[in-house]
Amino acid sequence: MKNHTAPVRKEYFSESSSIFRHLTPEELARIPIDQDPDFYKRGTIVYSEGSRINGFYCVQRGIIKIYKTGFDGKEQIIRFAKKGDIMGFRSTITRERACTTAKVLEDAYISFVHADTVLEFVKHNGTFALELLQIACKELGEANDYITDIAQKTVRERLAEVLIHLRKDFDLDHEKYLQITLTREELANMVGTATESVIRLLSEFKQDGLIELQGRKIKILDEKMLFKIGNMND
Amino acid sequence: MKNHTAPVRKEYFSESSSIFRHLTPEELARIPIDQDPDFYKRGTIVYSEGSRINGFYCVQRGIIKIYKTGFDGKEQIIRFAKKGDIMGFRSTITRERACTTAKVLEDAYISFVHADTVLEFVKHNGTFALELLQIACKELGEANDYITDIAQKTVRERLAEVLIHLRKDFDLDHEKYLQITLTREELANMVGTATESVIRLLSEFKQDGLIELQGRKIKILDEKMLFKIGNMND
DNA sequence: CGGGAGATTGACTGATCTCAACCCGGGTGG
DNA sequence: CCACCCGGGTTGAGATCAGTCAATCTCCCG
């Protein structure tokens, strides 16, 4: 998986978006990554549910789908990780096995930082620890919102909400279509519904002039209305 | 709210279950709580959604219901906090407003630790920081499970699961009934369903000999079967 | 050109929700 | 002391959202 033309390297760790930005040069030097980030091709599993994770995965490029597998094998997408995001920190911190699977949606470059190193930093660099705590707490807040939404909103409302979130989290291409392309099934696995329901609702939204569809690509036309349909506040 | 016969005091902070247990005596001394924990009567709101929180609430006794209010005003119960749990740390860390409301279900004694103090500890005591991180990550893992369950399981399965969880998290009284008593509506707000559905399913479970009902009190008779109905792994 | 994955559509089913009536027990004011 | 009221708790009936099944269709690929 290594040995590609890595587009990003060690400098990544001192970029302003990185959680490692507050480390001292000495601490940075301690990160044992003289090697380039690893390349992961679309479709690759970075880690899977139940496996042991021994550190952080820092996404430098690409998109990774993070999901849980439910009782009947159905995926529930928890979130996507993209440039600047870290994956696997929950398991690293709690020392439990991974409770999610991370699968590459768009070719990715990912750096791995060993758990020992991370824990070292947490213990000796308060700013780093706080940073990490903030990330965890942010996710926790989002998870709580998600719970409430899934429990209380209709599929229609949730789909509208998911579209808005995608719009916020991902860039648009030159034609204003969402950069991220998902199968209908993946959309369904975010919303928590059946594929067919997503299909029907999408074409409804399209009929109502709220979105435009081009195969898997989606363009948001009427964000305001989707916002309303999704009963959103933020 | 103060001035009751406080059953627990400052010693609480050095108890083995406390997140403060790894603080040095000097650090402990810095916690500005020479006063007893505050008493909160059943029904009291400790903090509510949208308000600013300036620190941690450490539950020393009692049960607090933590919930979000959905679009149409319906509660979604996220979790319960009881002895040893802390509340409000998410907002304290992220500096955002509270995204949940905390309401007392059983008379409680709660200590408050100011955000500055907490942040101080996070920055200067690595073990404390790690401890907090672990708590956050644990909750995060649970939240992810919750999301998957609500999205994929039927109401019946979720109710069975909720009962099992209650069984695990709360003690039994002398007659083996669950100590915690919830209204049918509260159960519904945990499961994410309508009150009537909970009522119907509870009486089904009762008919099937899985549980016994005594008003609001619930006794688990056949945990194994509930486990199975809930499609649970852990 | 055949095969397979994903997308669509239609028909049917059924789990849940909603609405409405009614019950029950406790507390209260007359 | 008692009628009344109110907050749950129950039950039944009907409405419906959304899931399942099955048949097609459309690409894309080898």
Side-chain angles (χ1 to χ4, degrees):
Chain A
M1 275 302 160
K2 233 162 275 183
N3 247 355
H4 277 250
T5 326
V8 196
R9 296 157 192 260
K10 208 168 173 178
E11 306 85 72
Y12 159 79
F13 291 95
S14 35
E15 273 177 23
S16 66
S17 62
S18 160
I19 49 160
F20 297 104
R21 68 179 183 278
H22 291 302
L23 294 180
T24 64
E26 300 80 56
E27 285 171 325
L28 268 176
R30 222 183 304 160
I31 302 183
I33 38 135
D34 358 54
Q35 77 277 36
D36 292 332
D38 296 335
F39 174 75
Y40 290 81
K41 200 168 174 46
R42 169 178 172 78
T44 314
I45 302 279
V46 182
Y47 61 80
S48 44
E49 212 165 333
S51 64
R52 292 222 173 276
I53 298 190
N54 241 8
F56 279 23
Y57 293 88
C58 306
V59 181
Q60 300 190 19
R61 183 185 234 184
I63 299 177
I64 291 90
K65 168 174 79 170
I66 298 177
Y67 62 92
K68 280 183 79 73
T69 305
F71 173 69
D72 53 357
K74 193 177 157 80
E75 287 179 11
Q76 178 62 41
I77 297 181
I78 303 292
R79 67 185 182 100
F80 295 105
K82 55 182 202 295
K83 182 184 160 115
D85 291 337
I86 55 182
M87 309 187 295
F89 71 90
R90 199 201 63 84
S91 311
T92 302
I93 295 295
T94 63
R95 296 303 200 168
E96 288 171 5
R97 285 164 187 278
C99 72
T100 54
T101 300
K103 185 171 187 177
V104 179
L105 274 195
E106 273 187 18
D107 291 359
Y109 286 93
I110 305 176
S111 286
F112 181 78
V113 181
H114 196 280
D116 294 342
T117 312
V118 172
L119 293 178
E120 201 47 27
F121 293 156
V122 168
K123 289 204 175 165
H124 300 303
N125 185 319
T127 312
F128 178 82
L130 186 55
E131 199 81 24
L132 210 47
L133 256 173
Q134 284 176 338
I135 292 174
C137 288
K138 178 160 168 287
E139 269 194 43
L140 192 51
E142 286 166 1
N144 288 343
D145 288 342
Y146 207 171
I147 289 171
T148 310
D149 286 344
I150 295 192
Q152 302 194 350
K153 291 184 178 176
T154 65
V155 171
R156 182 192 179 73
E157 291 167 328
R158 267 140 56 199
L159 179 59
E161 184 165 3
V162 161
L163 291 176
I164 295 288
H165 280 146
L166 288 176
R167 171 76 181 78
K168 217 179 336 187
D169 292 343
F170 295 94
D171 296 327
L172 304 182
D173 66 14
H174 58 103
E175 287 193 283
K176 309 250 187 178
Y177 280 93
L178 280 172
Q179 280 281 7
I180 189 174
T181 57
L182 302 168
T183 64
R184 304 294 138 118
E185 189 179 3
E186 283 168 332
L187 274 172
N189 294 341
M190 294 185 70
V191 173
T193 186
T195 308
E196 295 95 323
S197 297
V198 165
I199 290 171
R200 281 185 247 268
L201 286 169
L202 278 183
S203 61
E204 248 190 63
F205 285 172
K206 182 180 167 183
Q207 296 241 310
D208 296 347
L210 308 177
I211 61 174
E212 210 162 283
L213 297 172
Q214 190 71 229
R216 283 186 195 161
K217 312 202 77 167
I218 300 175
K219 191 195 298 189
I220 308 286
L221 295 178
D222 191 341
E223 191 161 353
K224 193 153 286 185
M225 193 57 197
L226 283 175
F227 219 82
K228 204 168 154 193
I229 291 175
N231 289 140
M232 313 203 23
N233 317 294
D234 39 281
Chain B
M1 275 301 166
K2 234 160 275 187
N3 247 357
H4 276 251
T5 325
V8 195
R9 295 156 193 260
K10 208 168 174 179
E11 305 85 73
Y12 159 79
F13 290 94
S14 35
E15 274 177 21
S16 67
S17 62
S18 161
I19 48 159
F20 297 104
R21 69 180 183 277
H22 291 301
L23 294 179
T24 63
E26 299 81 53
E27 285 172 325
L28 268 176
R30 222 184 303 161
I31 302 183
I33 39 132
D34 359 54
Q35 77 276 38
D36 291 333
D38 297 335
F39 174 74
Y40 290 81
K41 200 170 175 45
R42 171 179 171 77
T44 314
I45 302 278
V46 182
Y47 60 81
S48 44
E49 213 166 331
S51 65
R52 291 222 173 275
I53 298 189
N54 241 7
F56 279 22
Y57 294 88
C58 306
V59 180
Q60 300 190 19
R61 182 185 236 186
I63 300 177
I64 291 91
K65 167 175 77 169
I66 298 178
Y67 62 92
K68 280 182 77 73
T69 305
F71 173 69
D72 54 356
K74 192 176 159 78
E75 285 179 10
Q76 178 61 42
I77 297 182
I78 304 292
R79 66 185 183 100
F80 295 105
K82 56 182 202 295
K83 181 183 161 117
D85 292 335
I86 54 180
M87 309 188 293
F89 70 90
R90 200 201 62 86
S91 311
T92 302
I93 295 295
T94 63
R95 296 305 200 167
E96 289 169 6
R97 286 164 186 278
C99 71
T100 53
T101 301
K103 185 171 186 176
V104 179
L105 275 194
E106 272 187 20
D107 292 0
Y109 287 93
I110 305 175
S111 286
F112 181 78
V113 180
H114 197 280
D116 295 343
T117 312
V118 172
L119 293 178
E120 200 48 25
F121 292 157
V122 168
K123 289 205 176 168
H124 300 302
N125 184 319
T127 313
F128 178 82
L130 186 56
E131 199 82 24
L132 210 46
L133 256 173
Q134 284 174 340
I135 291 174
C137 287
K138 178 159 170 287
E139 269 195 42
L140 193 49
E142 286 165 1
N144 288 344
D145 288 342
Y146 207 171
I147 288 171
T148 309
D149 286 344
I150 295 192
Q152 303 194 352
K153 291 185 178 176
T154 65
V155 171
R156 183 192 179 76
E157 291 168 330
R158 267 141 55 200
L159 179 59
E161 184 165 4
V162 159
L163 291 176
I164 295 287
H165 281 147
L166 288 176
R167 171 74 179 77
K168 214 176 342 185
D169 292 343
F170 296 95
D171 296 328
L172 304 181
D173 67 14
H174 58 103
E175 286 193 282
K176 309 248 186 179
Y177 281 93
L178 280 171
Q179 281 283 6
I180 188 173
T181 57
L182 301 167
T183 64
R184 305 292 140 123
E185 189 179 3
E186 282 168 333
L187 274 172
N189 293 342
M190 294 184 70
V191 173
T193 186
T195 308
E196 294 95 324
S197 296
V198 165
I199 290 171
R200 281 186 247 267
L201 286 169
L202 278 182
S203 60
E204 250 188 63
F205 286 170
K206 181 179 168 185
Q207 296 242 309
D208 296 347
L210 308 178
I211 60 173
E212 210 162 284
L213 297 173
Q214 190 73 228
R216 284 186 193 162
K217 311 202 78 165
I218 299 175
K219 192 196 298 191
I220 308 286
L221 295 179
D222 191 342
E223 190 160 356
K224 195 154 286 190
M225 193 58 197
L226 283 175
F227 220 81
K228 205 168 150 194
I229 291 176
N231 288 140
M232 312 203 23
N233 317 295
D234 38 283

